[in-house]
Amino acid sequence: MRLLLFLSSILFGNGYNLLDFYTPKDNPLPFYTCCNLDDKVLYTSKEVIESINSHNIINVSLHNQIYKDEINDANTICSFDDANKGYGYTLLTENEADIYISNQLLQHNNTLYNVILHEFIHALGLNHSVYPSIMNYKISVDYWGTIHEDREKSYLSIDDMRGLEKVKNNMNIE
């Protein structure tokens, strides 16, 4: 089924979905680390950003810590410990994207990478997709909530890259 969806996306169109209310304003899109960001999340974020930037569509930059009183209108990446908030999420407003990554993922290298990549692509303007792509990523947990490590790191699919090209065109930035 996944192969059929993949082939149909190549032959017949796009599976990506743009976020209705949000388009990034800068290229590169600057992110700032929160004071509480775990070092492993920082290292993995840098690895993810390098992968995103290697496609040379929309770039991301990462800057040193930002403090509470400076957070408005700045894109941030932060860690959190609250198990009730899931594993990763992105809060978007018209002017900013804030990524939150759960410390529950720190022992799961590939899963951590995949969640961070998924959230960064939200911050770049893509919504979930039904096509095989990072925007169709779901973390694997069992009945008891135990995280199952992903076998490998995910990368941007053709559909993800087409979506990012569309976002870039909507930004009117070369």
Side-chain angles (χ1 to χ4, degrees), residues 83-101:
N84 296 321
K85 290 187 176 180
Y87 302 103
Y89 61 94
T90 302
L91 293 178
L92 299 164
T93 66
E94 188 176 322
N95 297 319
E96 71 182 273
D98 297 320
I99 297 173
Y100 296 89
I101 302 297

Side-chain angles (χ1 to χ4, degrees), residues 28-69:
L29 185 63
F31 271 84
Y32 297 87
T33 60
C34 288
C35 301
N36 69 340
L37 189 68
D38 182 89
D39 287 342
K40 188 164 188 177
V41 176
L42 174 62
Y43 171 80
T44 305
S45 296
K46 289 178 179 180
E47 186 180 359
V48 165
I49 288 169
E50 185 176 310
S51 175
I52 292 169
N53 291 349
S54 72
H55 296 286
N56 205 20
I57 302 170
I58 301 175
N59 292 319
V60 177
S61 61
L62 189 61
H63 306 277
N64 291 333
Q65 293 180 356
I66 192 163
Y67 298 95
K68 271 285 199 220
D69 57 344

Side-chain angles (χ1 to χ4, degrees), residues 15-26:
Y16 64 80
N17 292 305
L18 302 183
L19 292 166
D20 294 332
F21 60 92
Y22 172 81
T23 300
K25 302 205 179 339
D26 299 309

Side-chain angles (χ1 to χ4, degrees), residues 120-140:
F120 265 111
I121 300 305
H122 275 312
L124 292 174
L126 292 187
N127 207 345
H128 294 124
S129 173
V130 296
Y131 287 83
S133 70
I134 193 62
M135 296 318 294
N136 189 13
Y137 175 76
K138 292 173 183 59
I139 193 167
S140 178

